[in-house]
Amino acid sequence: MGVLIAAFTPENAGLQHVRHATIIPATGNYRESVPKIDNFLNMLANLLPRDILLTMTLDSAGHASEDSARALKVLYKRQRNLRTLRMDSVFRAHRDWSKLAHITCLHLEIYDDKTPAFAASGILQHVPSLRHLEIHVDLEQYCRTVAVQYSKARGRARASESLVQRLFACWPETSKPQLQLRSLQVYDLDLSLASATLLKAIDMSRLDSLGLQKCRHSIELLRGIRPTGLPKRMNLRNLVVSGHPDCDEVRMDDAIDDFLNSFAGLEHLVIMGPEQEPLRPDLSSVAKHAATLRLLYLDCVWSDWPVDKPPADEIHYHPSALCKLMPQCVRLEQIALNTPRVLLDSDEVTALRDTGAFIGALAAAPALRTFRMLSVPNEVDYSFDILDLEAHRMFIKCGMASIATRYLHRMPNLHAVSIAHGEDDFVVVCDLEVAPHFYTRGQVFNAYGKSDTVALVMSKGMVQEIEPVSDILDMEPRGSRLMRYGYKT
């Protein structure tokens, strides 16, 4: 804060060049971060020169205070060129809809039926320049406030439907033309019934970016999206779909494959539904976008395979299918996939034979630079004394480095690898907590001067410095920060 106070002075000519402000509060303790946010917003509102700021972003707006709302009221009066409105708390003070004509990005955080953004449901008809819409819902809390049982599927579906209908109340079936958006991001909704309203209100074929994060029954919305025009086409370049972790859906048809086959041109495809069969696409439908794909994230397998399903060595995409897809992905730079069963074995020859075909398939991608392993080591073929935990940890660490070395050795274009990198800060391997490991390419020389590839352990930040094309290492498909991925404000 001392540095910021020194910067916000009239003598600082650099303030004349400020155009964008982004505030990311510390996620550890919101009570500690809110006063700092208030102080910064007050400086931003009162000390920044007038009419120079174009965008202002504040994550976790639902935790902002009343002081933040007052500061934002001043900010929006002094900065009349702002194009984004991401703050939910600004609706406590912002009621002059005529001032919103220039807003291009709207972020609505809805926690209950009294949330200011939700109460201002008529706002959408007063934002003619709107191009990016983000709807962030806490469905469990919302169901509690409207006396609907969150634990029942029908209750969640009805609550989501009424919520979306209220937001788009000015778009009945035959009145106004559909919203022409460039991006739509929806977080934590049940789309089994709400998808019908969204399809009526928004022209989905014009979207550049679509995000359905932590949503139930996302496939219902995808089933209703069709290319339009003559010739029929879609603008979609970025697709993020992550299922709710507690949702157990049954595959009824091939809607996900039909959707991916209906158009071409995706650059970023992120699908996460480990135990949701309807979200798992066939690689033949992904091949429709092979020529343009730059990033591919597919976490679509069962973590605990049922007895009546195929054996454990078939829960990942088969190497033969990958061999057909990878050579076509001439621009693919980053990939995250479930791998074959990872066994930390003292016999490296056996482990290499088990994963050799899978590594060979990935090596066929000519531009691949970063690989994120979504599977984690789940077995250790070695015995340790129960008290010798340090030796056990060291064996796991060496085994993971050996796996990373195999990938780097067989894939000459690969520069960065991550293992044990999941939703949490650690994974459990044989009852031990293991932190994520990140590796880059290195070389070792023997006494005869012959070089060989070796995986070098580094922090994630260092890996990203060495290999800038590795933003897939920061991706959390169920995290709200991915809502802004893939489109420009």
Side-chain angles (χ1 to χ4, degrees):
M1 293 303 299
V3 175
L4 288 172
I5 292 172
F8 280 94
T9 59
E11 294 79 14
N12 185 2
L15 291 179
Q16 297 289 340
H17 303 283
V18 175
R19 296 294 180 269
H20 310 276
T22 301
I23 309 171
I24 304 177
T27 57
N29 191 331
Y30 285 111
R31 290 184 179 179
E32 293 181 2
S33 63
V34 165
K36 297 178 182 178
I37 294 172
D38 293 343
N39 291 337
F40 179 73
L41 284 175
N42 276 304
M43 288 189 289
L44 204 66
N46 296 291
L47 302 179
L48 203 63
R50 288 177 177 269
D51 299 332
I52 66 167
L53 202 62
L54 297 180
T55 69
M56 200 285 294
T57 301
L58 172 57
D59 282 343
S60 304
H63 300 274
S65 66
E66 293 293 338
D67 290 338
S68 296
R70 286 191 288 269
L72 285 166
K73 183 177 180 180
V74 176
L75 179 70
Y76 277 91
K77 283 184 177 180
R78 289 173 53 89
Q79 305 297 333
R80 293 170 295 180
N81 296 325
L82 273 174
R83 300 197 306 260
T84 68
L85 186 61
R86 299 185 187 273
M87 283 288 298
D88 173 74
S89 59
V90 75
F91 293 103
R92 296 190 179 100
H94 205 307
R95 291 294 181 180
D96 187 357
W97 304 131
S98 62
K99 299 287 185 66
L100 302 179
H102 57 284
I103 296 296
T104 61
C105 182
L106 191 64
H107 177 85
L108 306 177
E109 294 202 5
I110 301 171
Y111 300 95
D112 51 46
D113 62 341
K114 297 180 178 61
T115 300
F118 188 51
S121 56
I123 188 175
L124 292 179
Q125 61 183 322
H126 298 285
V127 195
S129 301
L130 186 64
R131 293 296 177 267
H132 308 287
L133 177 60
E134 304 170 0
I135 305 173
H136 190 161
V137 183
D138 187 333
L139 189 57
E140 183 174 4
Q141 184 173 340
Y142 176 78
C143 288
R144 191 181 304 121
T145 59
V146 297
V148 173
Q149 291 189 0
Y150 177 79
S151 58
K152 291 189 176 181
R154 187 169 182 81
R156 293 192 301 264
R158 290 296 184 188
S160 298
E161 182 187 32
S162 63
L163 187 154
V164 172
Q165 285 178 346
R166 184 170 170 183
L167 279 177
F168 294 92
C170 48
W171 271 271
E173 293 187 25
T174 58
S175 64
K176 303 184 67 172
Q178 290 180 302
L179 279 171
Q180 306 293 318
L181 300 178
R182 288 178 54 190
S183 68
L184 171 67
Q185 312 293 328
V186 180
Y187 187 89
D188 195 14
L189 273 180
D190 189 318
L191 297 175
S192 55
L193 300 176
S195 57
T197 303
L198 289 172
L199 290 167
K200 291 175 185 175
I202 301 171
D203 185 355
M204 298 289 179
S205 65
R206 300 290 185 90
L207 293 176
D208 291 335
S209 178
L210 175 61
L212 307 173
Q213 296 176 255
K214 203 180 174 184
C215 290
R216 292 176 167 85
H217 306 288
S218 301
I219 203 67
E220 296 300 326
L221 182 65
L222 299 181
R223 186 180 284 115
I225 301 176
R226 291 290 181 269
T228 59
L230 290 173
K232 292 186 178 298
R233 62 186 299 271
M234 284 183 62
N235 295 335
L236 201 61
R237 295 292 177 267
N238 310 284
L239 177 62
V240 178
V241 181
S242 61
H244 196 284
D246 298 331
C247 184
D248 186 12
E249 299 184 45
V250 179
R251 191 180 187 108
M252 303 298 293
D253 53 24
D254 294 325
I256 185 67
D257 294 320
D258 294 340
F259 174 71
L260 292 176
N261 279 319
S262 65
F263 68 103
L266 280 178
E267 295 181 6
H268 306 97
L269 176 59
V270 179
I271 298 180
M272 183 179 186
E275 298 194 14
Q276 296 167 40
E277 210 170 338
L279 295 181
R280 180 178 182 175
D282 191 85
L283 291 184
S284 60
S285 62
V286 177
K288 181 82 173 181
H289 310 271
T292 54
L293 274 177
R294 292 182 177 274
L295 181 147
L296 181 62
Y297 186 115
L298 294 178
D299 186 4
C300 307
V301 301
W302 294 80
S303 55
D304 297 312
W305 203 263
V307 177
D308 59 340
K309 295 289 184 178
D313 58 350
E314 295 182 13
I315 66 173
H316 56 88
Y317 284 109
H318 200 275
S320 61
L322 284 171
C323 279
K324 296 178 182 178
L325 174 65
M326 290 295 109
Q328 304 175 53
C329 299
V330 293
R331 303 174 66 186
L332 184 64
E333 298 175 324
Q334 305 177 63
I335 192 169
L337 284 176
N338 301 94
T339 65
R341 183 170 57 99
V342 181
L343 174 64
L344 299 182
D345 194 346
S346 55
D347 184 1
E348 295 188 6
V349 178
T350 303
L352 181 60
R353 185 176 65 246
D354 292 341
T355 60
F358 185 85
I359 298 174
L362 292 183
L368 191 61
R369 303 175 68 88
T370 304
F371 175 51
R372 176 173 170 178
M373 289 180 56
L374 298 178
S375 302
V376 297
N378 49 15
E379 294 184 34
V380 177
D381 186 19
Y382 207 82
S383 59
F384 291 91
D385 187 272
I386 192 171
L387 299 177
D388 198 0
L389 294 180
E390 194 58 37
H392 202 168
R393 290 183 188 276
M394 185 58 65
F395 178 79
I396 293 175
K397 183 177 180 179
C398 293
M400 291 167 64
S402 177
I403 293 171
T405 298
R406 294 188 197 115
Y407 279 92
L408 291 166
H409 178 74
R410 294 280 302 275
M411 303 168 64
N413 294 330
L414 195 65
H415 287 180
V417 180
S418 74
I419 302 179
H421 184 186
E423 298 180 46
D424 302 317
D425 295 332
F426 62 88
V427 295
V428 178
V429 179
C430 299
D431 299 327
L432 290 178
E433 293 182 0
V434 178
H437 283 62
F438 304 91
Y439 305 90
T440 57
R441 180 180 297 275
Q443 282 188 326
V444 293
F445 295 87
N446 60 19
Y448 298 97
K450 183 179 179 180
S451 65
D452 202 0
T453 300
V454 64
L456 301 178
V457 185
M458 292 188 176
S459 67
K460 182 173 66 174
M462 294 175 67
V463 168
Q464 291 175 324
E465 269 189 44
I466 295 169
E467 179 46 71
V469 187
S470 55
D471 52 328
I472 199 170
L473 301 183
D474 282 322
M475 279 194 173
E476 172 45 58
R478 293 197 182 108
S480 60
R481 289 185 186 175
L482 198 58
M483 294 181 79
R484 296 169 187 62
Y485 184 77
Y487 69 84
K488 299 177 181 179
T489 54

